[in-house]
Amino acid sequence: MTERPVPGLPPPRPIPIRERSSILFVEKGRLDVLDGAFVMVDERGIRTHIPIGGLCCLMLEPGTRVSHAATALAARAGTLLIWVGEAGVRLYASGQPGGARADRLLYQAKLALDETARLKVVRQMYVMRFGEEAPARRSVDQFRGIEGARVRETYRLLALQYGVKWEGRRYNPQEWSSANDINRALSTATSCLYGICEAAILAAGYAPAIGFLHTGKPQSFVYDLADIVKFETVVPEAFRVVAALEKGRMLDGETITNVTGTVRRRCRDAFRRTRILERLVPMIEDVLSAGGLSPPETPEEAMPVAFEDPEGLADAGHRG
């Protein structure tokens, strides 16, 4: 007896990372799949449809519940679910749709464990971040100190440029309301960037925890990648919002009443304007290739990539 074909169209392939919207924050509701659609149901029972397959990641704030069906659909769509604290300041957990590829994990780990290769990767990140040749004869720890000093100075200069009161990067995740406006805005902005960077790292088949400049954290590689682009994308938006708030003026025709909400929207627009989703996965490949080690051959039994792209897989992002 021959099997009867399943009626209907074949399941759609995940949309490449570069063609998606960046992030969406949700809170105080239940995520579920109703009538085949991914929806957010609030306390009054009102459904809001979420185009899950067109998002890079979904940030779940306090008060959000997720059904098994919703989690499964997000995984099939290749959309990363990230459970975060208020305003995205703390990251509690994240999904890993599709799973990382063993060959790429081994390659990343080999680079991180080889001191010479790791230093080459760190030097490449310095070049990409600051647009200049990295200083010679410096260790990873010395690069960490150099970058820390330059970051502090960059914050100070941005505060002068936008006329924002600046007393340093200080906030307590346990006491979110105790931070001043600029620190809350910066934390919100960087959390948006961390979300899409983690989604890109997983899409490319690598591990967020295996970092090179940052180490010992579940998102060490996320921080490495985000630091390359944060001062051209999200940090200026945080300063613009707080400058408008402190001076009591409108920003692009908008009155600032909610700092975190405004920063999120402007980060989303900055991601689109800078075409950051098109750049992240190729950026990962450029950073790692600087280590000078050859990636291992892909085993024949390896899972196929999830994102088909005739122009080259690394250009769009893929999951094994």
Side-chain angles (χ1 to χ4, degrees), residues 50-186:
I50 297 176
I52 192 67
L55 294 170
C56 189
C57 61
L58 197 59
M59 310 282 270
L60 312 181
E61 290 192 282
T64 306
R65 293 176 294 164
V66 190
S67 72
H68 185 280
T71 303
L73 180 55
R76 287 197 299 272
T79 300
L80 184 65
L81 298 181
I82 303 179
W83 284 260
V84 298
E86 183 181 359
V89 172
R90 303 189 68 184
L91 188 151
Y92 298 114
S94 63
Q96 191 172 358
R101 287 177 57 124
D103 55 333
R104 293 175 182 265
L105 291 178
L106 291 171
Y107 173 52
Q108 184 183 4
K110 186 177 180 180
L111 288 167
L113 291 171
D114 185 308
E115 289 301 322
T116 300
R118 180 188 174 197
L119 182 57
K120 290 179 180 179
V121 170
V122 169
R123 290 177 62 85
Q124 176 66 11
M125 291 192 295
Y126 184 100
V127 172
M128 296 173 71
R129 184 173 186 179
F130 298 114
E132 61 185 53
E133 192 65 30
R137 296 185 296 278
R138 298 292 193 278
S139 68
V140 172
D141 287 339
Q142 287 173 321
F143 273 112
R144 192 178 292 120
I146 292 170
E147 295 203 9
R150 294 192 65 162
V151 165
R152 289 190 292 272
E153 179 64 10
T154 302
Y155 278 131
R156 188 186 69 83
L157 293 175
L158 284 170
L160 288 175
Q161 177 183 344
Y162 291 103
V164 172
K165 183 180 179 181
W166 180 250
E167 298 176 347
R169 187 74 175 96
R170 302 188 185 95
Y171 75 98
N172 183 354
Q174 306 292 344
E175 298 180 8
W176 173 241
S177 60
S178 66
N180 59 18
D181 287 329
I182 184 58
N183 275 288
R184 286 202 301 271
L186 287 169

Side-chain angles (χ1 to χ4, degrees), residues 30-302:
R30 177 169 56 89
L31 292 174
D32 207 344
V33 178
L34 300 175
D35 300 327
F38 193 99
V39 297
M40 177 78 166
V41 185
D42 66 15
E43 59 184 5
R44 296 169 294 176
I46 297 176
R47 303 181 185 181
T48 301
H49 176 250
I50 297 176
I52 192 67
L55 294 170
C56 189
C57 61
L58 197 59
M59 310 282 270
L60 312 181
E61 290 192 282
T64 306
R65 293 176 294 164
V66 190
S67 72
H68 185 280
T71 303
L73 180 55
R76 287 197 299 272
T79 300
L80 184 65
L81 298 181
I82 303 179
W83 284 260
V84 298
E86 183 181 359
V89 172
R90 303 189 68 184
L91 188 151
Y92 298 114
S94 63
Q96 191 172 358
R101 287 177 57 124
D103 55 333
R104 293 175 182 265
L105 291 178
L106 291 171
Y107 173 52
Q108 184 183 4
K110 186 177 180 180
L111 288 167
L113 291 171
D114 185 308
E115 289 301 322
T116 300
R118 180 188 174 197
L119 182 57
K120 290 179 180 179
V121 170
V122 169
R123 290 177 62 85
Q124 176 66 11
M125 291 192 295
Y126 184 100
V127 172
M128 296 173 71
R129 184 173 186 179
F130 298 114
E132 61 185 53
E133 192 65 30
R137 296 185 296 278
R138 298 292 193 278
S139 68
V140 172
D141 287 339
Q142 287 173 321
F143 273 112
R144 192 178 292 120
I146 292 170
E147 295 203 9
R150 294 192 65 162
V151 165
R152 289 190 292 272
E153 179 64 10
T154 302
Y155 278 131
R156 188 186 69 83
L157 293 175
L158 284 170
L160 288 175
Q161 177 183 344
Y162 291 103
V164 172
K165 183 180 179 181
W166 180 250
E167 298 176 347
R169 187 74 175 96
R170 302 188 185 95
Y171 75 98
N172 183 354
Q174 306 292 344
E175 298 180 8
W176 173 241
S177 60
S178 66
N180 59 18
D181 287 329
I182 184 58
N183 275 288
R184 286 202 301 271
L186 287 169
S187 296
T188 300
T190 52
S191 73
C192 295
L193 183 58
Y194 292 158
I196 65 168
C197 285
E198 182 164 2
I201 289 167
L202 292 172
Y206 296 105
I210 304 177
F212 296 86
L213 193 65
H214 296 84
T215 58
K217 299 289 182 67
Q219 284 79 38
S220 292
F221 194 39
V222 174
Y223 304 148
D224 282 349
L225 187 62
D227 280 354
I228 295 174
V229 296
K230 71 179 182 182
F231 284 107
E232 67 172 277
T233 52
V234 299
V235 171
E237 296 303 332
F239 276 97
R240 290 188 185 101
V241 170
V242 174
L245 178 69
E246 291 183 351
K247 293 176 172 58
R249 65 169 185 251
M250 301 180 73
L251 181 62
D252 295 334
E254 178 184 2
T255 300
I256 309 300
T257 57
N258 184 319
V259 170
T260 57
T262 302
V263 168
R264 288 173 180 173
R265 291 190 294 274
R266 293 188 66 87
C267 286
R268 176 201 61 199
D269 295 340
F271 294 149
R272 183 181 300 115
R273 185 173 61 252
T274 59
R275 307 172 75 89
I276 191 65
L277 293 179
E278 295 184 19
R279 298 163 51 199
L280 283 176
V281 174
M283 188 181 299
I284 295 169
E285 305 293 348
D286 289 343
V287 165
L288 297 182
S289 65
L293 301 182
S294 299
E297 293 292 330
T298 303
E300 293 183 2
E301 65 272 18

